Amino acid sequence: MRLGTCLLLAVMSGVLGLSLRLTLPVTPVDASFRDVVRLYQSQGAPIGSNTLETSPP
């Protein structure tokens, strides 16, 4: 593909995404999702990683 074609497709997809975002309503969070989030927050912060590669030294 040529550069102009790629830029045109990028601009068109951006305009399409923005127009969808502005025209379609955002679905509000329901009560069951809030309950799940509260459950995970009550468990506290994660202790750390369970792999040696990402654990602190």
Side-chain angles (χ1 to χ4, degrees):
M1 287 179 131
R2 295 184 328 201
L3 179 63
T5 307
C6 291
L7 289 174
L8 180 64
L9 286 173
V11 168
M12 285 176 34
S13 66
V15 168
L16 176 65
L18 182 62
S19 64
L20 283 174
R21 173 65 182 92
L22 293 174
T23 57
L24 295 177
V26 177
T27 306
V29 177
D30 59 348
S32 61
F33 180 76
R34 288 189 193 120
D35 293 338
V36 170
V37 170
R38 270 190 228 108
L39 175 71
Y40 279 109
Q41 285 177 343
S42 68
Q43 292 177 355
I47 296 170
S49 176
N50 60 353
T51 61
L52 293 174
E53 292 85 9
T54 57
S55 296

